């Protein structure tokens, strides 16, 4: 009996000494200046790491883990990561992962707890500050005929899929598609320029997105999302602005919680490291310029709603407010457009339709254009044109040729100034009259 007990104890001890964790998968998310590697694990990792030079390497030791996962089958399109391989571990129950880097780079390693749809993860962030996009420091003051700068923020991305529809659609894919349509429309409009916060499938922290807009001296930040709720019934689009306090609606509170969930999925390290972020945002929100940006955001959101309601159902017919990090730039008008409920099967189908996505983008563009035509930013080409031009409200019996004759301008110039494709005008229409 004693011998059997000792044998069983030894057997149990041998099991506990064996590797208790496994790498179940690896995803590599490259972006223009960063790369994120995400190791999917079966359990919470115990790890340490260090760097080596000549050549540049990041070495990660993970305790109680096996090396059965094959790195060679993982798609790697990063310019920063040359290769992943195993090396001799510290002990027989650990593994040592070596990430060969293309040059000396900034690295951060952290773990994330299970958050649906993922289990435990070990995340490696690699950044190349020298490859960061060029920053336009004086875009608003360079000249008196500058472009109106609109930063388009495709929600979620990379490790953070956003909401997932019943048919398996990812919010991050819907938002990027609509954002690219909107980008093309804005860049095709003389006097306007679009800048994307992300151009591919990679993660950017909600706190970093308004920073991108601020660095480019943007006149507007438009964040594109697809809504979701705990039940499939809610439907329709909505437009959101920043609330100075917590949201006062159930959907607003849901959105605030969803943003926190996205941070757990994709950016916990940035939250942990940036201990000054709350103090900075608190000071920024107290800035007097916030009053102007909030007012502009609200007015602009109404213009976007007026266009959206012509092509899709509206969940809310007036602007909504919530405390969302992506909207907190103190000196830039910022709106968040929920393009529909991906949690609603019917709307999920619509959001997967290319024509519907284009129509959504066109409605957002028309709303933004309508606002800036009425109130162009100081120093912009549109502000200069408005200063130099007169306006005329079309009355009964008036035609384009008659007005051209009355104001002594060419018909073609009159059409160009008003983006008209035909000679037809309607009663009540406001026309811009160019100077002769």
């Amino acid at each position: 009996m004693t011998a059997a007990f000792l044998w069983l104890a030894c057997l149990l001890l041998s099991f506990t000494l064996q590797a208790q964790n496994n790498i179940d998968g690896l995803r590599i998310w490259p972006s223009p200046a960063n790369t994120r590697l995400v190791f999917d694990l079966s359990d919470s990792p115990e790890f340490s790491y260090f760097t080596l030079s000549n050549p540049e390497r990041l070495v990660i030791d993970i305790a109680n883990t096996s090396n059965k996962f094959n790195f060679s089958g993982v798609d790697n399109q990063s310019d920063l990561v040359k290769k992943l391989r195993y090396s001799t571990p510290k002990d027989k129950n650990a593994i040592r992962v070596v990430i060969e880097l293309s040059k000396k780079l900034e690295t951060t390693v952290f773990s994330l707890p299970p958050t649906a749809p993922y289990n435990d993860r070990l995340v490696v962030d690699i950044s190349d500050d020298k490859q960061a996009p060029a920053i336009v420091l004086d875009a608003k003051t360079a000249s008196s005929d500058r472009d109106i700068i609109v930063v388009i923020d495709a929600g979620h991305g990379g490790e953070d899929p956003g909401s997932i529809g019943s048919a398996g659609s990812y919010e991050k894919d819907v938002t990027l598609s609509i954002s690219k349509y909107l980008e093309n429309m804005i860049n095709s409009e003389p006097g306007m320029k679009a800048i994307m916060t992300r151009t591919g499938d990679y993660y950017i922290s909600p706190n970093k997105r308004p920073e991108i807009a601020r660095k480019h001296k943007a006149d507007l930040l438009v964040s594109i999302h697809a809504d979701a709720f705990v039940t499939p019934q809610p439907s329709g689009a909505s437009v959101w602005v920043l609330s100075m306090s917590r949201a006062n609606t159930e959907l607003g509170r849901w959105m605030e919680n969803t943003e926190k969930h996205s941070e757990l999925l994709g950016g916990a390290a940035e939250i942990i490291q940036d201990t000054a972020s709350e103090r900075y945002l608190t000071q920024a929100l107290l800035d007097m310029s916030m009053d102007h940006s909030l007012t502009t955001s609200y007015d602009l959101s109404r213009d976007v709603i007026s266009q959206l309601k012509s092509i899709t159902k509206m969940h809310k017919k007036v602007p909504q407010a919530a405390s969302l990090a992506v909207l907190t730039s103190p000196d830039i008008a910022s709106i968040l457009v929920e393009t529909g409920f991906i949690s609603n099967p019917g709307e999920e189908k619509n959001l997967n339709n290319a024509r519907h996505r284009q129509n959504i983008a066109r409605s957002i563009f028309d709303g933004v254009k309508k606002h800036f035509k009425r109130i162009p930013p100081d120093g912009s080409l549109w502000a200069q044109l408005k200063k130099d031009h007169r306006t005329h409200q079309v009355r009964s019996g008036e035609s384009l040729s008659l007005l051209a004759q009355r104001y002594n301008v060419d018909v073609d110039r009159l059409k160009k100034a008003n983006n008209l494709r035909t000679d037809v005008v309607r009663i009540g229409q406001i026309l811009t009259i160019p100077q002769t």
Side-chain angles (χ1 to χ4, degrees), residues 107-142:
T107 58
T108 305
V109 184
F110 60 97
S111 61
L112 287 175
T115 308
Y118 303 114
N119 293 319
D120 283 283
R121 286 155 292 157
L122 184 65
V123 180
V124 179
D125 277 342
I126 302 170
S127 60
D128 181 9
D129 292 337
K130 294 181 180 179
Q131 291 297 318
I135 295 172
V136 182
L137 295 175
D138 58 350
K140 289 187 177 178
T141 58

Side-chain angles (χ1 to χ4, degrees), residues 36-105:
R36 167 164 287 186
L37 298 90
V38 183
F39 296 86
D40 291 310
L41 302 169
S42 58
D43 202 354
S44 177
E46 179 185 339
F47 66 95
S48 61
Y49 64 97
F50 58 92
T51 57
L52 296 172
S53 297
N54 299 317
E56 300 297 329
R57 287 152 290 166
L58 172 64
V59 181
I60 306 173
D61 289 312
I62 311 175
N64 299 319
T65 304
S66 68
N67 64 349
K68 295 179 181 178
F69 186 81
N70 184 6
F71 295 137
S72 63
V74 177
D75 182 31
N76 176 23
Q77 299 184 24
S78 171
D79 294 329
L80 306 182
V81 177
K82 295 171 63 176
K83 182 182 178 182
L84 278 86
R85 59 180 172 83
Y86 293 105
S87 185
T88 304
K90 293 193 297 184
D91 61 70
K92 64 179 182 180
N93 291 322
I95 62 169
R96 172 165 288 183
V97 177
V98 178
I99 303 175
E100 298 182 6
L101 306 175
S102 59
K103 54 184 172 180
K104 190 173 183 62
L105 299 162

Side-chain angles (χ1 to χ4, degrees), residues 227-351:
D227 229 330
F229 202 59
V230 290
T231 61
Q233 286 79 18
S235 62
S238 56
V239 183
W240 294 74
V241 296
L242 179 67
S243 169
M244 299 296 283
S245 59
R246 289 185 59 81
N248 56 8
T249 66
E250 184 180 5
L251 182 58
R253 289 189 291 272
W254 170 264
M255 288 176 61
E256 290 174 358
N257 289 333
T258 300
E259 186 173 82
K260 293 177 182 177
H261 181 257
S262 294
E263 290 170 346
L264 283 175
L265 283 172
E270 292 171 349
I271 299 168
I272 293 167
Q273 291 179 355
D274 189 9
T275 55
S277 62
E278 287 190 9
R279 183 173 69 252
Y280 169 77
L281 286 175
T282 300
Q283 293 172 347
L285 288 170
L286 293 174
D287 194 298
M288 289 180 63
S289 64
M290 180 62 90
D291 292 336
H292 174 71
S293 65
L294 286 175
T295 301
T296 304
S297 301
Y298 187 84
D299 291 343
L300 204 150
S301 65
R302 291 191 300 179
D303 287 327
V304 172
I305 287 173
S306 71
Q307 301 297 320
L308 279 171
K309 67 182 183 182
S310 65
I311 60 100
T312 190
K313 176 186 175 182
M314 299 302 298
H315 183 71
K316 296 290 184 180
K317 296 182 180 179
V318 296
Q320 302 296 294
S323 179
L324 303 171
V326 74
L327 301 178
T328 53
S329 186
D331 53 348
I332 300 171
S334 306
I335 63 172
L336 186 148
V337 181
E338 293 284 4
T339 55
F341 279 79
I342 201 169
S343 54
N344 178 290
E347 290 204 336
E348 180 186 12
K349 183 177 181 181
N350 287 338
L351 290 170

Side-chain angles (χ1 to χ4, degrees), residues 174-187:
V174 171
T175 62
L176 184 60
S177 174
I178 294 174
S179 295
K180 286 182 175 179
Y181 285 130
L182 180 58
E183 177 192 26
N184 290 333
M185 293 171 189
I186 289 175
N187 284 336

Side-chain angles (χ1 to χ4, degrees), residues 14-26:
S14 67
F15 278 129
T16 59
L17 292 175
Q18 291 177 6
Q20 298 297 307
N21 207 347
N22 291 295
I23 297 178
D24 297 326
L26 169 64

Side-chain angles (χ1 to χ4, degrees), residues 210-227:
E211 286 184 16
I212 294 172
R214 197 155 49 245
K215 288 175 180 177
H216 285 90
K217 300 294 183 182
D219 297 288
L220 172 66
L221 169 66
V222 181
S223 189
I224 309 296
H225 287 255
D227 229 330

